[in-house]
Amino acid sequence: MMSTVRGTALLGFKEFSVSQGIDPDSALAEVHLPEDPLNAQLSGAQFNALVELCAVRSNNPLFGLQFGLRQGTQSLGTLLYAMRSTAHVGEALNLLTRYFHIHSDGALVRLERQAGSALLLYEVTDGTLVSVRQTVELAMGIAACLLRELLGHAWKPRALMLRHCAPANRIAYRALLGVPPRFDSPFNAWVFDESLLAIPLEATDTRCQQLAQQHIDELARVTLQELPSYVQKRLRNELANGPVTLRDMAVYMMISPRTLQRYLRAQGTRFQELLDDTRQAMAARYLCDSSINLTQLGSLLGYADLSTFSRAFTRWYGISPQKWKQRMQHTHR
């Protein structure tokens, strides 16, 4: 299923592209986007292709990250306004995770707590995209600006986790972000002290709070996503913990397995088909963007062993995962 991104995700794109020696109109045309994309609804594939293209055109592997840092939080629009009207940082980030799909329905933002650390995680969920390095780093740049804006001087990240493999020049990341990323991680996330979530935000006046609440209510009316897309997002979250069955998904959604399957059939699909598509997309992305070994990858996708994963992969692509990865590496070179 094709994902969409709001045109505001390209705020400041033209100015930044010119600073990188790129003709922005030519780049937009090459990925079939209009010269004025800000009021358009972009496909996730177009947005991803544009950022990847610009990284190549500018000969700057940090294009996405630097664009995200330059753009900052302005692309979040009224959602940022609603976040600022919450009581504390944790509540603001929970609001972001709940309504981020309004800005991009091809990605997922989560907030988790682990052993005294908070993790703000970002995952591209559009299964049609293979290499998403630039898009991920752009999003993590925006997230850094958001956390700095909410926390001020208290913002001291413990780590930046990135799932893709390390580039040749790691030093530039520290200069831009203050910390060197940990590449080849199992997820993309900013990691920071959990206690920072309790930091209160400056109170806004009553009228501001009313406007923010109206905006939240408007967002709530569109949170019922198309069921297949919702199931796939849940699968991406849960597969790393082991196999996910139709019953598991139905229990999570508090409906019967039969009802869930009936709803999916009404949308022209089945649970097993969604599970297969999700695993296929995740496998391709990990093999393209990461140096994770095949045994680990099979486990992350919920397979019992490597041979089962390899058989599934060969069914999808007609060749083994080892040969597929070699072919992709040759293509990129």
Side-chain angles (χ1 to χ4, degrees):
M1 288 169 284
M2 185 180 71
S3 64
T4 58
V5 180
R6 285 199 170 186
T8 51
L10 289 177
L11 280 167
F13 167 75
K14 290 194 173 185
E15 296 80 359
F16 182 71
S17 295
V18 170
S19 75
Q20 298 290 304
I22 299 172
D23 176 1
D25 292 334
S26 172
L28 289 165
E30 189 159 336
V31 298
H32 309 293
L33 285 174
E35 288 188 10
D36 183 14
L38 297 183
N39 295 319
Q41 192 80 349
L42 322 177
S43 78
Q46 287 173 311
F47 180 80
N48 188 73
L50 178 65
V51 185
E52 294 280 346
L53 172 66
C54 289
V56 174
R57 285 264 179 94
S58 61
N59 195 29
N60 177 12
L62 294 176
F63 181 92
L65 177 61
Q66 290 176 336
F67 178 37
L69 292 170
R70 176 76 67 88
Q71 186 184 73
T73 57
Q74 60 178 327
S75 65
L76 294 175
T78 49
L79 178 55
L80 176 65
Y81 184 72
M83 292 170 65
R84 286 173 174 162
S85 300
T86 57
H88 50 75
V89 172
E91 188 178 338
L93 294 180
N94 281 327
L95 194 68
L96 173 68
T97 66
R98 186 176 177 187
Y99 296 118
F100 182 76
H101 68 271
I102 301 301
H103 295 270
S104 171
D105 59 12
L108 192 67
V109 176
R110 305 197 315 275
L111 180 65
E112 294 184 0
R113 295 166 173 81
Q114 295 181 9
S117 290
L119 285 75
L120 185 63
L121 299 108
Y122 176 83
E123 173 72 20
V124 175
T125 58
D126 186 339
T128 66
L129 309 179
V130 178
S131 181
V132 294
R133 182 188 199 107
Q134 295 296 324
T135 298
V136 166
E137 292 195 0
L138 190 158
M140 302 315 280
I142 293 174
C145 294
L146 172 63
L147 292 164
R148 192 179 300 119
E149 190 170 319
L150 293 174
L151 291 164
H153 295 300
W155 170 236
K156 293 182 176 59
R158 289 180 173 174
L160 170 60
M161 318 290 284
L162 292 174
R163 202 175 68 184
H164 46 259
C165 55
N169 181 13
R170 302 189 188 194
I171 299 174
Y173 285 88
R174 180 187 284 274
L176 288 170
L177 301 169
V179 293
R182 299 178 187 173
F183 294 97
D184 285 316
S185 297
F187 45 73
N188 306 305
W190 277 108
V191 184
F192 52 98
D193 192 318
E194 184 181 4
S195 66
L196 298 181
L197 297 175
I199 291 181
L201 299 176
E202 292 185 10
T204 56
D205 60 42
T206 304
R207 179 56 182 159
C208 285
Q209 291 175 343
Q210 289 174 344
L211 290 171
Q213 189 59 53
Q214 287 174 8
H215 177 64
I216 294 171
D217 291 341
E218 289 172 4
L219 292 175
R221 286 195 287 272
V222 292
T223 55
L224 289 177
Q225 298 297 287
E226 186 180 347
L227 184 61
S229 176
Y230 176 83
V231 169
Q232 286 189 306
K233 288 180 180 180
R234 289 302 313 167
L235 286 170
R236 287 178 179 275
N237 284 345
E238 299 300 326
L239 279 172
N241 300 320
V244 182
T245 65
L246 172 67
R247 179 176 176 78
D248 294 332
M249 187 64 65
V251 167
Y252 178 84
M253 297 175 66
M254 294 183 289
I255 58 177
S256 72
R258 181 177 297 179
T259 299
L260 174 56
Q261 196 72 293
R262 185 172 71 249
Y263 287 162
L264 291 173
R265 279 199 301 271
Q267 296 295 329
T269 188
R270 298 175 298 110
F271 176 79
Q272 188 59 45
E273 184 178 334
L274 294 175
L275 177 59
D276 225 32
D277 289 348
T278 303
R279 283 171 157 170
Q280 181 176 351
M282 291 176 70
R285 184 156 317 133
Y286 269 109
L287 286 176
C288 186
D289 278 347
S290 165
S291 58
I292 187 172
N293 69 52
L294 295 180
T295 301
Q296 291 173 315
L297 177 54
S299 178
L300 279 172
L301 298 179
Y303 287 101
D305 51 52
L306 176 57
S307 62
T308 306
F309 164 59
S310 294
R311 285 196 299 272
F313 193 96
T314 302
R315 174 167 51 85
W316 299 327
Y317 292 102
I319 57 175
S320 70
Q322 295 94 329
K323 290 183 178 178
W324 189 92
K325 184 168 185 175
Q326 290 168 2
R327 180 180 294 179
M328 291 300 295
Q329 289 172 338
H330 176 74
T331 301
H332 285 308
R333 284 198 297 269

